[in-house]
Amino acid sequence: MNTFLIYVILGIGADDVIIFLDCWKQIAVESDTRKEGEYTMEERVKHTMMRAGKAMLVTSSTTCGAFLATATSGLMPIAQFGIFAAMMIISNYIMVVTYFPACVVIWDIYLKHVPCCCCFRSAKTSSTSDEISKSPKKPKSRYSIKHKSFDLDD
């Protein structure tokens, strides 16, 4: 049963990450339209945590409460699973509100503008862009998935 918990924790963690990143992007848009100027990094993290932290706390606490309710089971393995799952959800929440914002800030400051992946090619380096620009015909729809390409217009 503890193996099943990996997927539950991954789902809750992914949900928390999506909530945090959505709020992070919303705060960036609000920062651009403010009359007082853009938010500093500290203000941006503070506003994101105030907004996203509540939603993450509610989702994590309700799930933790549900697993703690199974701790009252008369079957010892089920009760232990509930306690272990609740502890893992608490640990997940702590990691999402401490470690993940730090990673996002590091990414935003240092890594945001660094090209990182070979599977995303720009139009300048793509061989298909040269073929499309030279041909007078309507360009074909080409999609590339991990160095394999296929045409949709065939």
Side-chain angles (χ1 to χ4, degrees):
M1 285 179 69
N2 289 341
T3 307
F4 165 71
L5 187 59
I6 293 170
Y7 301 106
V8 173
I9 297 299
L10 282 173
I12 294 169
D15 181 47
D16 290 345
V17 165
I18 290 169
I19 290 170
F20 184 86
L21 288 177
D22 185 49
C23 287
W24 182 262
K25 290 176 184 177
Q26 287 177 2
I27 296 297
V29 171
E30 288 177 12
S31 177
D32 293 339
T33 59
R34 276 184 55 186
K35 292 179 183 176
E36 296 87 20
E38 291 187 4
Y39 286 123
T40 64
M41 190 60 67
E42 293 84 12
E43 291 174 330
R44 191 170 172 193
V45 172
K46 176 185 163 190
H47 288 292
T48 301
M49 287 304 299
M50 287 175 57
R51 193 180 289 180
K54 294 174 189 175
M56 292 186 298
L57 179 64
V58 168
T59 58
S60 296
S61 62
T62 55
T63 309
C64 181
F67 279 114
L68 279 177
T70 63
T72 61
S73 173
L75 300 171
M76 187 55 68
I78 301 296
Q80 289 176 346
F81 173 74
I83 293 169
F84 181 68
M87 290 172 53
M88 293 303 296
I89 291 169
I90 292 168
S91 300
N92 180 46
Y93 175 74
I94 290 170
M95 292 296 285
V96 168
V97 298
T98 57
Y99 181 72
F100 186 69
C103 291
V104 171
V105 168
I106 289 170
W107 176 82
D108 195 57
I109 293 172
Y110 300 109
L111 303 172
K112 188 178 189 177
H113 304 290
V114 176
C116 65
C117 188
C118 62
C119 58
F120 297 108
R121 297 181 182 172
S122 67
K124 293 179 182 178
T125 61
S126 176
S127 62
T128 59
S129 64
D130 295 330
E131 295 169 6
I132 292 172
S133 63
K134 291 178 184 177
S135 68
K137 299 186 283 185
K138 177 185 161 210
K140 292 184 176 184
S141 299
R142 289 188 68 81
Y143 290 93
S144 176
I145 299 175
K146 298 236 180 184
H147 308 292
K148 295 180 182 177
S149 61
F150 57 92
D151 293 327
L152 294 179
D153 296 333
D154 289 338

